[in-house]
């Protein structure tokens, strides 16, 4: 298993030149976190994006500067690409989230899985979510659309705990008990698309723990769809270094109790 984790980290490293191997005790590259000041270059780019987007969608006037900056950063400050991305997002939101939010009553089957929790913050003040991959099952009643609504509710909950300039969150992906029945590639690709296309520059770090061999088959299918900005934020952790690795980023008072910390888990829809 350690060999698989090292190989995955090496693949991420080779593709990006940015991931540091955490299980070898190396420093993880820092990402934007406390970034409350918009510099002049970014402000000029934001104004340019507004000029393009507002002509096509007047509702974009409600989008704040920090949100536009996230779309710009997701597209390496390319105004045209960021504008296209923002317009696509606004169209998606009107269609998929017409009320402006997802209610727990819209996702009863997903909530029943009891698979995602929210509690605490890391040492950079970023809210933490814990997702149990072994509890996810393909939704035969509500289908893929209900799962996507669940993803939106979860991301909105996380984002509601952020603030301008401190806009990222951390996810612990726990794959304890993950098996063939949990290998729902369509759902995972759907979640990835929503995260990357509709919530750009929100993920600060994804820490994957308790990784079973069977996971790597699905990883090979999903990996090509992960953009470089997201790949930089993924870390696989060896079981033997689990607690000490988590404590590098999270104080014990904020660490989930299931990992030896003091913070109880709260279901995401109740947070």
């Amino acid at each position: 298993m350690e060999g698989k984790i090292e190989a995955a980290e090496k693949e991420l490293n080779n593709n990006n030149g940015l991931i540091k191997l955490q299980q070898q005790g190396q420093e993880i590259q820092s990402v934007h976190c406390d970034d409350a000041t918009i510099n002049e270059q970014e402000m000029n780019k934001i104004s340019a994006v507004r000029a393009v987007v507002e002509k096509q969608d007047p509702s974009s006037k409600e989008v704040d500067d920090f949100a536009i900056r996230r779309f710009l950063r997701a597209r390496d400050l390319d105004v045209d690409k960021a504008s296209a991305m923002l317009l696509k997002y606004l169209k998606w939101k009107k269609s998929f989230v017409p009320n402006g939010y997802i209610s727990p009553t819209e996702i009863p089957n997903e909530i029943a899985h009891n698979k995602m929790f929210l509690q605490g913050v890391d040492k950079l003040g970023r809210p933490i979510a814990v997702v149990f991959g072994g509890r996810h099952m393909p939704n035969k009643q509500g289908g893929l659309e209900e799962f996507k609504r669940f993803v939106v509710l979860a991301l909105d909950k996380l984002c509601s705990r952020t603030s301008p300039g401190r806009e990222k969150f951390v996810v612990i992906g726990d794959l304890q008990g993950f098996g063939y029945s949990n290998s729902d590639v369509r759902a995972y690709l759907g979640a990835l698309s929503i995260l990357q296309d509709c919530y750009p520059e929100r993920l600060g770090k994804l820490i994957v723990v308790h990784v079973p061999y069977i996971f790597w088959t699905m990883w090979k299918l999903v990996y090509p769809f992960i953009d470089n900005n997201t790949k930089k934020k993924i870390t696989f952790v060896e079981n033997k270094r689990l607690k000490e690795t988590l404590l590098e980023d999270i104080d014990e008072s904020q660490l989930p109790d299931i990992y030896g910390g003091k913070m109880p888990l709260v279901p995401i829809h109740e947070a």
Side-chain angles (χ1 to χ4, degrees):
M1 180 55 63
E2 293 176 11
K4 284 284 189 179
I5 289 177
E6 290 174 357
E9 289 282 13
K10 183 177 180 181
E11 184 176 13
L12 288 167
N13 201 28
N14 288 341
N15 274 274
N16 300 289
L18 294 169
I19 294 290
K20 308 296 182 182
L21 298 186
Q22 191 167 28
Q23 48 268 61
Q24 293 181 1
Q26 297 177 5
E27 182 181 358
I28 297 297
Q29 174 169 319
S30 62
V31 296
H32 295 290
C33 183
D34 194 356
D35 205 3
T37 301
I38 298 176
N39 64 43
E40 183 178 357
Q41 180 194 24
E42 289 178 329
M43 197 67 245
N44 289 336
K45 296 277 188 177
I46 290 169
S47 296
V49 169
R50 283 195 182 282
V52 173
V53 175
E54 287 183 10
K55 288 181 180 179
Q56 300 183 54
D57 189 341
S59 71
S60 64
K61 293 179 180 180
E62 299 176 6
V63 180
D64 65 45
D65 290 343
F66 290 99
I68 294 177
R69 183 175 68 173
R70 291 195 299 273
F71 281 86
L72 276 163
R73 286 179 171 177
R75 292 297 179 263
D76 299 319
L77 300 185
D78 185 300
V79 170
D80 291 337
K81 291 181 179 179
S83 299
M85 186 183 189
L86 179 54
L87 283 166
K88 183 178 179 181
Y89 159 74
L90 291 170
K91 181 178 180 180
W92 166 84
K93 188 171 183 180
K94 290 175 184 177
S95 172
F96 197 76
V97 196
N99 297 322
Y101 66 94
I102 299 296
S103 168
T105 60
E106 299 178 64
I107 51 173
N109 301 297
E110 294 296 331
I111 287 176
H113 292 166
N114 199 35
K115 60 190 171 188
M116 190 168 183
F117 299 81
L118 177 63
Q119 91 312 308
V121 296
D122 74 350
K123 293 178 180 179
L124 296 178
R126 300 176 296 191
I128 303 167
V130 180
V131 182
F132 294 99
R135 298 183 185 181
H136 170 77
M137 302 292 288
N139 191 330
K140 296 181 179 180
Q141 294 176 296
L144 183 60
E145 292 304 297
E146 183 181 345
F147 174 75
K148 289 180 178 180
R149 290 195 296 272
F150 174 77
V151 171
V152 171
L153 177 142
L155 291 174
D156 284 346
K157 288 279 189 178
L158 279 164
C159 292
S160 71
R161 296 198 173 195
T162 66
S163 58
R166 192 182 290 270
E167 305 159 73
K168 297 181 183 293
F169 53 76
V170 173
V171 176
I172 300 174
D174 193 324
L175 300 181
Q176 185 77 47
F178 185 92
Y180 283 112
S181 61
N182 312 116
S183 300
D184 190 359
V185 175
R186 288 180 66 241
Y188 300 140
L189 289 177
L192 180 65
S193 176
I194 291 172
L195 174 67
Q196 294 181 160
D197 298 337
C198 304
Y199 295 80
E201 294 301 302
R202 282 295 197 174
L203 178 65
K205 193 171 188 179
L206 170 60
I207 306 170
V208 189
V209 305
H210 294 140
V211 186
Y213 281 109
I214 192 173
F215 167 79
W216 302 110
T217 300
M218 192 195 71
W219 173 251
K220 291 178 181 178
L221 298 175
V222 174
Y223 184 82
F225 297 92
I226 306 175
D227 67 33
N228 287 334
N229 284 336
T230 304
K231 288 174 183 175
K232 299 171 188 176
K233 303 166 185 176
I234 303 173
T235 299
F236 293 93
V237 179
E238 297 173 9
N239 290 344
K240 65 182 181 181
R241 296 195 66 243
L242 177 57
K243 185 175 180 180
E244 67 176 288
T245 301
L246 292 175
L247 287 174
E248 291 175 7
D249 291 305
I250 306 168
D251 286 325
E252 188 172 4
S253 64
Q254 299 293 309
L255 187 67
D257 51 13
I258 61 170
Y259 304 121
K262 300 179 180 179
M263 187 68 72
L265 295 175
V266 178
I268 189 75
H269 62 282
E270 296 178 2

